[in-house]
Amino acid sequence: MDVFIVGIAGGIGGLLARELTSSGDAVRGLVRRDEQRAELAGQGVDAVVGRSWSSTRGRRRSGTPSRRTSGAGSAPPPRPRDGRPGRRGDEPDQADQSVRFVAAGNCHHPRVAPDRDPKTRSRRPRRDAEANRERVLLAAVHAVRREGPKVPMATIAADADVGVGTVYRHFPTREDLLAALSARSFGIVLENLRIASEAGPRAGDRVAAFLDATITRRAELVLPLHGGPVVADAAVLELRRQVGRAVEALLAPGVADGSLRADLTAGDVVLFGAMLAEPLATVTDWDAIARRQARIYVDGIAGPDRVDD
């Protein structure tokens, strides 16, 4: 559910926002100062600087602020500083539960709606949150590969078509986002190795299958050997070790039976795969050229006991 909290900068509003964001809801709010908006952005909340529509109407008619009505669904939409006036027609239809406007002083929990099944309420935010997280990660992959690891978080949010608060809700810091990108990339490499391990009985065929999968999914990889950042996260380092062990397991039978060179190491294959995954700027049909280089490489690592068809 999307929830807009009037008075989110206050104590009750802040507690409510933290509870909702931890449950996977998309939270926005109305604040009066830019510094409040910046602080809330770090908590994963999209904030608007301005005044409520009812408050501006009260000042215009009587010169004194009108009393704000509390209760879920009763607070009118904000009047932001961008000059767009709030209008009666902008108020949400009470039958539409896609966006809930909440006054921060309201004692009722905004997620409790009588027409919503509790099981549906508990599942839907999680599905939406997972979808948003994956959308952010996909956008971040392309943004980091395009502009480097210091690409603005706002750029990633725009590419993902989500608010910047959604990015910070899933990844509170840039380091968290980069670690997630590295973990996702190592997961892809492990999947490539799993597929390659089933490619055929000959070790050379399995190495060729791994290199081919690396070329196919090269645009999804954000790793140090692929121009990505060096991440010191413990979970990411463990995934890297898993990749090393999996490559060693892929090569071991061929080294043992002589169909692969005895001095071939996992690092040799990983490094060459990384080279194939980074196209040269002056080459137009990189994938075709990379696959040709992979075939030559596989022939070159063959051992003395390789059996050809």
Side-chain angles (χ1 to χ4, degrees), residues 7 26 54 71 113 128 136 146 156 160 174 208 224 240 279 287 301 303 309:
S54 60
D128 293 344
V136 169
R146 182 181 67 240
I156 295 173
R174 180 180 301 276
R240 187 176 69 180
D287 285 1
I301 63 174
D309 291 335

Side-chain angles (χ1 to χ4, degrees), residues 6 33 86 113 119 123 137 139 183 233 237 242 288:
V6 178
R33 298 191 301 274
K119 293 181 179 179
R123 289 196 303 268
L137 279 176
D233 181 82
L237 295 177
Q242 290 181 29

Side-chain angles (χ1 to χ4, degrees), residues 245-270:
R245 292 193 292 267
V247 176
E248 290 173 353
L250 189 75
L251 303 179
V255 172
D257 65 18
S259 60
L260 294 178
R261 292 172 53 132
D263 60 347
L264 183 65
T265 68
D268 296 331
V269 175
V270 169

Side-chain angles (χ1 to χ4, degrees), residues 63-287:
T64 59
S66 61
R67 180 170 59 87
R68 180 178 299 161
T69 304
S70 66
S74 61
R79 182 184 181 91
R81 288 180 177 174
D82 59 7
R84 293 175 297 179
R87 300 187 303 273
R88 176 69 65 182
D90 292 335
E91 297 179 13
D93 186 345
Q94 295 302 310
D96 181 8
Q97 299 295 327
S98 61
V99 178
R100 180 64 63 88
F101 289 83
V102 181
N106 182 22
C107 63
H108 302 292
H109 196 291
R111 296 184 69 237
V112 178
D115 58 338
R116 297 282 295 277
D117 180 81
K119 293 181 179 179
T120 303
R121 287 200 311 273
S122 64
R123 289 196 303 268
R124 186 167 299 169
R126 284 201 295 269
R127 287 202 302 269
D128 293 344
E130 290 170 1
N132 283 340
R133 184 179 188 276
E134 183 62 19
R135 186 180 300 118
V136 169
L137 279 176
L138 288 174
V141 167
H142 297 293
V144 170
R145 288 181 63 91
R146 182 181 67 240
E147 301 183 32
K150 294 185 179 180
V151 58
M153 301 290 261
T155 298
I156 295 173
D159 289 352
D161 196 24
V162 299
V164 70
T166 299
V167 178
Y168 280 108
R169 180 161 57 249
H170 293 289
F171 309 103
T173 67
R174 180 180 301 276
E175 289 71 22
D176 293 330
L177 176 60
L178 295 177
L181 290 178
S182 295
R184 183 179 185 277
S185 298
F186 279 126
I188 291 172
V189 175
L190 287 170
E191 176 65 11
N192 290 344
L193 286 164
R194 185 194 66 78
I195 294 173
S197 67
E198 302 170 355
R202 297 188 304 183
D205 293 339
R206 295 191 292 271
V207 174
F210 170 65
L211 295 175
D212 186 76
T214 299
I215 296 168
T216 299
R217 304 192 68 177
R218 60 181 176 80
E220 301 178 61
L221 301 176
V222 181
L223 293 169
L225 290 177
H226 300 264
V230 177
V231 176
D233 181 82
V236 172
L237 295 177
E238 174 56 29
L239 285 171
R240 187 176 69 180
R241 288 190 286 269
Q242 290 181 29
V243 168
R245 292 193 292 267
V247 176
E248 290 173 353
L250 189 75
L251 303 179
V255 172
D257 65 18
S259 60
L260 294 178
R261 292 172 53 132
D263 60 347
L264 183 65
T265 68
D268 296 331
V269 175
V270 169
L271 182 59
F272 187 72
M275 294 169 63
L276 295 179
E278 289 300 311
L280 297 175
T282 57
V283 177
T284 55
D285 192 5
W286 176 257
D287 285 1

